[in-house]
Amino acid sequence: MSSTFTIHYFATASQYTSKNTESLPAPLKLSTLFDELETRYPGITAKVLSSCGVSLDGEYVDIEEDKELLIMAGSEVAVIPPVSSG
């Protein structure tokens, strides 16, 4: 099995990356996820990620509070922009 995890992009995150999913190297500390994405997609932190939620294997995580969590090979991460109501 390869040492990667899958990241899913929704709404504005998908538009910004032009992808719905991709594989990233694992393990990766949750605290460095946004840095990794910023390296791949310059400007994404300010324009998209700063207002997004993140889930790890179906559970919402807090990038600050859960920063020591490791995203392991085979995990699934989702970048979820805020849901607007209207």
Side-chain angles (χ1 to χ4, degrees):
M1 183 173 153
S2 62
S3 297
T4 62
F5 67 92
T6 302
I7 185 163
H8 300 274
Y9 302 108
F10 297 96
T12 53
S14 175
Q15 292 165 2
Y16 198 90
T17 61
S18 298
K19 297 178 179 177
N20 291 322
T21 61
E22 72 179 315
S23 295
L24 296 179
L28 181 72
K29 256 191 185 177
L30 184 62
S31 61
T32 61
L33 176 63
F34 283 7
D35 294 337
E36 177 72 24
L37 295 175
E38 181 68 26
T39 300
R40 293 168 183 260
Y41 308 104
I44 194 170
T45 302
K47 292 185 173 124
V48 179
L49 300 178
S50 60
S51 63
C52 285
V54 175
S55 71
L56 173 60
D57 294 327
E59 299 283 330
Y60 272 98
V61 290
D62 185 300
I63 292 289
E64 295 298 317
E65 291 179 18
D66 300 320
K67 62 182 178 234
E68 295 303 314
L69 276 178
L70 277 179
I71 304 169
M72 303 303 289
S75 287
E76 297 215 350
V77 171
V79 176
I80 307 162
V83 178
S84 61
S85 59

